[in-house]
Amino acid sequence: MPRHLLAAGDLDRPTAEHLLDTAARIEQAIAGREVRKLPTLRGRTVVNLFFEDSTRTRISFELAAKRLSADVINFSAKGSSVSKGESLKDTAWTLQAMGADAVVCRHSSSGAPQQLSAWVDGHVVNAGDGTHEHPTQALLDAYTLRRHLGGLQDRRIVIVGDVLHSRVARSNVLLLRTLGADVTLVAPPTLLPVGVSDWPATVSYDLDRALVGADAVMMLRVQQERMQGAFFPTAREYSRGYGLDGRRRDLLAPNGIVLHPGPMNRGMEITPQVADGANSVIVEQVTNGVTVRMAVLYLLLSGSEGAL
Amino acid sequence: MTVPSSGASGSGTPVAENAAAVATEILGPGDIARTIDRIAHQILERNGDRPVVLLGIPTRGVYLARRLGERLDTFAAGSEPVGVGSLDITLYRDDLRRRPPRALLETLIPGGGIDDAVVVLVDDVLYSGRTIRAALDALRDHGRPAVVQLAVLVDRGHRQLPIRADYVGKNIPTALGDDVAVRLAETDGRDAVELVRAAPTAGEIR
């Protein structure tokens, strides 16, 4: 296994399960404590290198590193040397010279974290690259699913929405399949990528049919900022065909759960009643995100060699 | 990545894979049972009616703590049952940079918590003292016990920190290269404490 976490597709089942088990132990270790901080990574430096706007993922990584007592440096491209024309390679060399033990990288170009990993000695964690992957989001989703469903083997998970632009969908399909789940992708044909038939998932255009008896549904955000073409006629039409409302949620299996990576377009891909309803685990996903990222940083940064 | 195991025994050194190495049994099942009984009596004698919480350090310390808890409840019938939990110290170790990551084990603090209680840390082998140092750090994050005491089945010496046990099952003089293996029925199918002497170097007279 590599020293970096670049893609959910790189994780085999024992590694993924070990990571999730580690997260569960960390959650257990700090549950109900006044001091929710561990000394594990004292003296290590984690750099959050974000070339793309992201508040929740950056804060989640920052909190995870700080809860393990690591020093955290936040580097955002806006207002930095990058906006003055510095290349990714020069930025990498700068981080290298400063002695970063881990670099958490988000970039609008697919493959940037992998490229970065060739230039720095530290461990690289992909926090989302273009339309490629977002492995820690898939891990936190799997962790949340596992907590509620017990296990993922043969569970039916439906992922709905803008699969074309979604690195979350790709990472989730790969990881959930690795963990034994059956994944169905539901989207309008215009929002499915070329080659989706090669993904280890079933593809459907009929949301009502896919939801019947499913153990969980994961709604994807409609990414207005990545849309440069007419992928669907109107927002209302999209909601009618692919939005999750109370009626559709009730098609799930008893105790079926609703996930969303956030941020949500309420009223577009999900109604407020469902987002805030009893089956929704959307807020819990955020909490689990910190725990899972703590597990990733612990496994990568303890020991002289990476463990992932 | 190879998924790490949780380690074999509390001795801190791997069992020598030497066909010539002979394991000498220091304690058998009867000895271990009597030792646990003795330590239970000593805990009662020292702490009287004060609430006691036993926290075992995984893996074998947890099973020893459970056995100790059962004996305490038997000897002090009528008193409140003793709280028994576990305290994983992996995230508090001071050698995390030197070793591959270890699997995390269970931390379970009994319902009543540890504030103002007498906490007895329970481990199988006391060696360098670094595990107990880590346990004291972990304990501090869980609450503020009135008193912290340490019970170990075996003290093999070679301390690297100023730490001592309050209750010792057996002191076993060892050389640094020796291995002390604690076997418990819950994890190993049998109860025993074995000493495996380091292979003698050439010219060494044993």
Side-chain angles (χ1 to χ4, degrees), chain A residues 201-245:
Chain A
T202 310
V203 176
S204 167
Y205 306 114
D206 184 346
L207 181 55
D208 285 21
R209 209 150 119 199
L211 286 176
V212 174
D215 296 294
V217 59
M218 193 181 293
M219 303 308 296
L220 301 171
R221 183 169 64 92
V222 176
Q223 303 192 38
Q224 322 265 19
E225 74 275 20
R226 295 192 203 272
M227 299 250 183
Q228 283 131 12
F231 291 97
F232 46 84
T234 64
R236 184 177 295 181
E237 180 153 339
Y238 179 87
S239 292
R240 260 209 308 268
Y242 299 97
L244 189 68
D245 56 12

Side-chain angles (χ1 to χ4, degrees), chain A residues 40-42 44 123 298-307, chain B residues 90 93-102 128 130 133 160:
Chain A
T40 317
L41 298 182
R42 205 160 57 87
R44 300 297 191 110
H123 305 274
Y298 163 67
L299 290 173
L300 282 178
L301 284 170
S302 49
S304 51
E305 284 302 309
Chain B
T90 310
R93 296 183 68 92
D94 61 4
D95 61 355
L96 286 170
R97 285 172 182 241
R98 301 179 178 202
R99 294 164 173 264
R102 293 162 172 256
S128 67
R130 289 177 185 272
R133 198 271 317 153
Q160 294 166 0

Side-chain angles (χ1 to χ4, degrees), chain B residues 31-52:
Chain B
D31 301 319
I32 290 175
R34 283 187 290 275
T35 300
I36 288 171
D37 282 1
R38 174 169 54 81
I39 292 174
H41 280 296
Q42 288 174 330
I43 290 172
L44 286 171
E45 194 177 354
R46 184 182 298 195
N47 298 303
D49 293 332
R50 288 194 293 177
V52 171

Side-chain angles (χ1 to χ4, degrees), chain A residues 124-143:
Chain A
V124 176
V125 181
N126 179 4
D129 59 335
T131 55
H132 172 229
E133 278 232 31
H134 192 354
T136 57
Q137 179 68 46
L139 284 163
L140 77 89
D141 289 341
Y143 183 76

